[in-house]
Amino acid sequence: MFVALIETLDALGEERVAGLTILQGSVRIEPSRLSDGALIARELGLTEGLVQHLATPTVADWSGTVAGLECHVRSLAGAVR
């Protein structure tokens, strides 16, 4: 699992990732800039976006599977397409 995470971070560029949370086979990536979240999600092949209207600013949670791990990436909601 850790090898897959290191490879993913290397591919994205560590400067683009502000935080990484790992919980029982899933990983949440917090981009350094929320405006880059949708692009990061696309680069990882994540296609499911869920808008969280109660958050301020309104954000989206992109999800899918990356290297066998459930993966979530946050972005600004306007970036959901």
Side-chain angles (χ1 to χ4, degrees):
M1 173 173 76
F2 291 111
V3 172
L5 289 174
I6 291 169
E7 290 173 354
T8 300
L9 286 176
D10 283 344
L12 293 176
E14 290 183 37
E15 69 281 353
R16 295 173 68 196
V17 178
L20 190 68
T21 305
I22 304 167
L23 295 169
Q24 297 180 353
S26 70
V27 61
R28 174 170 294 281
I29 297 172
E30 183 74 34
S32 297
R33 295 185 331 194
L34 280 177
S35 59
D36 290 340
L39 178 61
I40 290 171
R42 277 195 297 275
E43 289 175 11
L44 293 174
L46 306 179
T47 58
E48 298 295 320
L50 174 67
V51 176
Q52 299 170 348
H53 294 283
L54 296 178
T56 304
T58 303
V59 295
D61 178 62
W62 291 90
S63 62
T65 303
V66 176
L69 298 170
E70 179 185 340
C71 184
H72 297 266
V73 177
R74 289 175 41 117
S75 73
L76 290 176
V80 176
R81 294 180 194 148

